Amino acid sequence: MIILSILFFITAILYSSVGFGGGSAYLALLLIWDVPYYIFPVIALLCNIIVVTGSSINYLRAGNHNFRILIPFLIGSIPFAFLGGTLIINKEIFEILLFLVLLIAGLLLLISNKSYEDKKIIIKKLNIFVSLLIGSILGLISGVVGIGGGIFLSPILFLLKADKPRNIITNASLFILINSISGVLGQLTKEIVLNEITSYWPLFLVVLSGGLFGNYLNL
């Protein structure tokens, strides 16, 4: 638990310094450490909430937000994140889903890396139904696997050139926070999760410390 806690601490610093929660990295670490798979999502989601709350507040204070873009994604994601959190799936399917989620997230980040190289960008208006659909899909994935969804939403918004970069990062942070809360509420409906979660309290403590330090770096 000591080495895992140290790695969670480092992850929290790195991810919070750029406005993310770190859910994808926490999941990968939990898989390596052979923690019971059914507890993965709630640990990752709770760590997301702890870490991303500070960066969300910082970004909102700075005025870097666009609720017009964010709200349709949240309307789609919130109920599906809760629904995904209530689902019980076997270990083999969970590991396949986790592998696919981490792979696609990595590819999206690589693809979006060059999406804003042209400084003369034209902000494009998103179709509300497309936003609802994307939000619903990301919400379901988030609730089932245990990510906040920002690692998907941010690259998608960059690729679609939906807003200014700083606003996209803020929207992604808020999406992670709200999505994670909804997913946790769904996960906590399962008795097996409630019985196990208290054993991992050191991880929540270290990500709180790491998140605070990362938010300082972010500022």
Side-chain angles (χ1 to χ4, degrees):
M1 182 70 81
I2 294 176
I3 296 176
L4 183 60
S5 296
I6 293 171
L7 292 174
F8 265 54
F9 176 72
I10 295 170
T11 299
I13 293 174
L14 295 175
Y15 275 76
S16 61
S17 68
V18 293
F20 284 158
S24 56
Y26 302 135
L27 288 168
L29 289 170
L30 291 170
L31 183 63
I32 294 171
W33 250 257
D34 201 28
V35 173
Y37 82 96
Y38 50 81
I39 203 76
F40 283 18
V42 72
I43 292 176
L45 290 170
L46 284 171
C47 288
N48 269 345
I49 294 169
I50 293 168
V51 171
V52 85
T53 297
S55 58
S56 296
I57 293 171
N58 292 339
Y59 289 143
L60 286 173
R61 284 178 175 173
N64 299 328
H65 54 78
N66 188 338
F67 293 127
R68 179 183 60 80
I69 291 177
L70 178 62
I71 288 174
F73 287 101
L74 289 177
I75 291 173
S77 71
I78 291 172
F80 279 92
F82 179 84
L83 175 64
T86 64
L87 298 178
I88 299 175
I89 57 177
N90 65 45
K91 184 176 181 181
E92 290 73 22
I93 294 176
F94 179 83
E95 289 179 347
I96 292 171
L97 285 174
L98 179 57
F99 170 77
L100 291 174
V101 164
L102 296 180
L103 177 63
I104 295 170
L107 291 175
L108 277 174
L109 289 174
L110 288 173
I111 293 169
S112 68
N113 185 47
K114 298 183 179 180
S115 61
Y116 271 56
E117 282 188 348
D118 182 3
K119 295 183 179 180
K120 297 179 180 179
I121 60 171
I122 298 175
I123 303 301
K124 300 176 182 178
K125 186 176 181 180
L126 297 181
N127 183 294
I128 188 170
F129 296 106
V130 173
S131 298
L132 287 169
L133 177 61
I134 293 174
S136 300
I137 294 171
L138 295 184
L140 184 62
I141 293 172
S142 300
V144 171
V145 178
I147 61 170
I151 199 169
F152 287 104
L153 182 64
S154 181
I156 289 171
L157 293 179
F158 271 111
L159 289 170
L160 296 175
K161 293 181 171 58
D163 206 343
K164 297 176 182 178
R166 61 172 178 254
N167 291 348
I168 289 176
I169 296 300
T170 300
N171 285 341
S173 292
L174 292 170
F175 187 80
I176 292 168
L177 176 61
I178 297 170
N179 232 20
S180 296
I181 292 172
S182 182
V184 163
L185 293 175
Q187 288 288 336
L188 292 178
T189 62
K190 295 182 282 193
E191 185 176 351
I192 193 170
V193 170
L194 289 171
N195 292 336
E196 291 278 352
I197 190 64
T198 53
S199 302
Y200 297 92
W201 64 267
L203 299 179
F204 306 131
L205 185 61
V206 296
V207 298
L208 174 61
S209 303
L212 290 172
F213 184 60
N215 287 328
Y216 173 77
L217 296 177
N218 188 301
L219 290 173

